[in-house]
Amino acid sequence: MRGSGFREHMREGHHRGGRHRGMEGAPQRGAKTFRRGKAISFLEMLHVKRATIKQQLEQPEFQSIQQILVGELKAIDMVIQEFSQLFDIQEDETNDSLQEEDNAHETNK
């Protein structure tokens, strides 16, 4: 039979990754800390796609599919809004990140 040491080991959450499942009083990581940079990058990519669709709306060669583009624009606006709310990303966070990238590109030139 197994000794009491094994039971203590199991109870403390060291077996099968218990520590990673929020045991031992560790706080759960949320959107504020876990891969926030990637979430902001994805949101910036959505903004670029939105700008592209908006630009296509103004071009005469896309006149025949204007209603489709309007629908896509509404859909991407909804995704941007829901994503921003889900990850609690403020508009100034994405603007700051874009400005930092622009400054880095200008420095490299």
Side-chain angles (χ1 to χ4, degrees), residues 26-54:
Q28 294 290 326
R29 294 186 291 181
K32 289 265 187 203
T33 58
F34 185 68
R35 298 184 189 212
R36 187 165 182 81
K38 286 190 177 191
I40 291 173
S41 294
F42 180 75
L43 186 60
E44 290 167 358
M45 185 180 65
L46 289 175
H47 280 289
V48 169
K49 288 182 181 188
R50 183 190 187 283
T52 302
I53 294 170
K54 191 160 175 113

Side-chain angles (χ1 to χ4, degrees), residues 54-103:
K54 191 160 175 113
Q55 183 182 21
Q56 289 173 346
L57 268 175
E58 298 167 359
Q59 296 175 349
E61 58 265 23
F62 292 104
Q63 189 68 31
S64 63
I65 60 167
Q66 187 174 12
Q67 293 302 315
I68 294 170
L69 293 174
V70 168
E72 287 183 8
L73 193 60
K74 288 179 182 181
I76 203 162
D77 282 339
M78 182 186 68
V79 170
I80 288 171
Q81 184 179 13
E82 289 176 358
F83 192 84
S84 296
Q85 288 176 350
L86 179 67
F87 287 96
D88 194 27
I89 298 173
Q90 306 302 317
E91 188 174 328
D92 61 336
E93 287 181 90
T94 56
N95 291 339
D96 290 344
S97 180
L98 287 174
Q99 288 173 353
E100 288 173 7
E101 285 181 16
D102 288 343
N103 290 341

